[in-house]
Amino acid sequence: MSAAFEQIRQAEQEAERILSAARENAAAIKKESAEAVAAIESAFQAELKAFQAALGESEKAAIEQKCGELDAAWDKERAEMDARFAAEKAGLVSYLVGKVMQTYDSAAE
């Protein structure tokens, strides 16, 4: 009977050794996985930051271009208004002088 107990004890020790080795392997795999996930997350964050920076620069360039277009359109519109006013200035001055003279003549009568 003691031989049977010895075999059982040896089987239990072997099972403990196998279980201990499996736990060590699992811990090593868990550590490697955590390191790999951390590296992937770090790379993703760096790539995301670079993408956001590029997007910001692209948006800034588009806004600057649009502002330039609006400034050019405003300068053109202003030049057209100044030209129209200059062209009609003499006629407007004559009209206003005539109105003032009419008012003065009416008041003198």
Side-chain angles (χ1 to χ4, degrees):
M1 186 97 156
S2 77
F5 283 125
E6 182 60 29
Q7 287 179 343
I8 292 172
R9 187 181 64 76
Q10 287 177 358
E12 286 176 346
Q13 287 177 344
E14 182 65 19
E16 280 295 322
R17 188 186 62 74
I18 293 171
L19 186 58
S20 177
R23 285 183 180 145
E24 288 175 10
N25 285 341
I29 291 170
K30 184 176 179 181
K31 181 181 176 188
E32 290 173 7
S33 297
E35 290 171 353
V37 167
I40 291 169
E41 286 176 347
S42 178
F44 173 76
Q45 290 298 328
E47 190 174 331
L48 179 62
K49 193 178 235 183
F51 175 74
Q52 288 173 333
L55 183 60
E57 288 299 317
S58 174
E59 289 175 344
K60 182 179 175 185
I63 289 170
E64 288 175 354
Q65 179 182 358
K66 190 63 175 177
C67 285
E69 291 171 2
L70 291 173
D71 286 343
W74 169 247
D75 290 343
K76 181 181 176 189
E77 184 68 27
R78 186 171 171 193
E80 289 173 0
M81 287 188 308
D82 288 347
R84 231 181 351 233
F85 180 75
E88 296 176 8
K89 183 178 179 182
L92 181 60
V93 168
S94 295
Y95 173 77
L96 292 175
V97 168
K99 280 293 194 182
V100 169
M101 290 176 68
Q102 273 183 341
T103 302
Y104 179 75
D105 285 345
S106 296
E109 291 177 0

